């Protein structure tokens, strides 16, 4: 959590305004971690939950969300501030990463009444998202890794809840170090839409 929440909010609001977005904000009790997590939602439509890497916060996805939300057939983009990041409270208990990820995503999905959603994760966010996808595959329509580590490529969850295989070419492109999603949001938006098609 930031040392100056009001300054953080001002900077984040400027970022959202740059992309013409105004997310809704919710704080959810994360009892496993002993605090609250902040979640922002943009638009309506099929839900996509975004789990950021380290050391940033959910708003890091703003350039990509701008390409996915607010259009015909838009997506409901749900952005998590992981515990201790953005405006989420830090963990007050030690939790193994697998448990942390599975519980965090369960709290978000239940708290927002999302029976199923695609999960987009980058970097360390993948280490949190994949345990959830493996533990509760019926709640994940599509796992979408973006720049996740090598160990996540071996994740057992190779098929979606709908029984479709994750597009391997898209997965390799998203996982490669050659795509910087900050610089190529439109490319990644197309990539994510291809996973969800």
């Amino acid at each position: 959590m930031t040392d100056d929440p009001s300054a953080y909010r001002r900077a984040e609001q400027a970022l959202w305004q740059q992309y013409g977005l105004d997310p809704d904000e919710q704080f959810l009790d994360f009892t496993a971690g002993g605090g609250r997590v902040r979640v922002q939602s943009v638009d309506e439509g099929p839900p996509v939950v975004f789990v950021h890497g380290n050391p940033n916060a959910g708003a890091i996805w703003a350039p990509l969300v701008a390409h996915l939300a607010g259009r015909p057939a838009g997506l409901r983009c749900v952005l998590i501030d992981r515990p201790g990041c953005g405006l989420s409270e830090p963990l007050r208990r030690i939790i193994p990463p697998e448990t942390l990820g599975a519980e965090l995503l369960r709290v978000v999905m239940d708290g927002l009444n999302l029976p199923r959603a695609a999960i987009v994760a980058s970097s360390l966010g993948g280490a949190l998202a994949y345990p959830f996808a493996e533990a509760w595959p019926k709640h994940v329509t599509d796992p979408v890794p973006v720049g996740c580590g090598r160990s996540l490529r071996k994740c057992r969850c190779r098929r979606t809840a709908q029984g479709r295989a994750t597009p391997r070419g898209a997965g390799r492109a998203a996982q490669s170090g050659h795509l910087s999603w900050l610089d190529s949001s439109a490319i990644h938006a197309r990539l994510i839409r291809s996973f969800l098609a």
Side-chain angles (χ1 to χ4, degrees):
M1 184 168 190
T2 182
D3 292 334
D4 187 353
S6 60
Y8 180 86
R9 280 186 185 280
R10 285 191 303 274
E12 185 182 68
Q13 184 62 34
L15 173 69
W16 286 118
Q17 286 176 349
Q18 178 181 345
Y19 292 101
L21 299 171
D22 184 23
D24 295 325
E25 174 184 79
Q26 249 180 295
F27 285 87
L28 304 172
D29 289 327
F30 184 47
T31 53
R36 296 182 327 148
V37 292
R38 177 184 182 229
V39 179
Q40 297 180 86
S41 296
V42 178
D43 211 1
E44 294 298 321
V48 180
V49 176
F50 292 83
V51 187
H52 65 86
N54 214 21
N56 43 50
I60 194 73
W61 296 103
L64 180 56
V65 170
H67 287 279
L68 295 173
R71 299 169 186 256
L75 300 170
R76 179 179 181 191
C77 298
V78 176
L79 305 108
I80 301 171
D81 284 353
R82 290 187 295 102
C85 299
L87 295 178
S88 287
E89 296 175 356
L91 292 173
R92 291 175 172 63
R93 298 181 183 96
I94 296 173
I95 305 173
E98 316 77 57
T99 305
L100 171 63
E103 280 301 302
L104 177 63
L105 271 289
R106 187 192 59 76
V107 164
V108 169
M109 299 279 288
D110 289 351
L112 299 179
N113 195 27
L114 301 174
R116 294 167 41 99
I119 309 290
V120 177
S122 69
S123 187
L124 179 62
L128 302 178
Y130 276 86
F132 176 79
E134 288 184 330
W136 290 287
K138 67 181 182 178
H139 297 295
V140 179
T141 58
D142 292 283
V144 183
V146 178
C148 291
R150 181 176 298 276
S151 63
L152 296 177
R153 295 179 190 170
K154 298 176 185 175
C155 178
R156 291 189 309 266
C157 116
R158 294 303 306 165
R159 299 190 71 77
T160 67
Q162 299 168 334
R164 294 189 324 241
T166 301
R168 293 195 183 274
R172 281 193 302 275
Q175 291 170 340
S176 76
H178 300 100
L179 289 179
S180 168
W181 60 268
L182 289 172
D183 296 331
S184 56
S185 298
I187 293 169
H188 280 85
R190 287 193 301 273
L191 182 65
I192 289 170
R193 285 189 186 278
S194 76
F195 269 89
L196 303 179

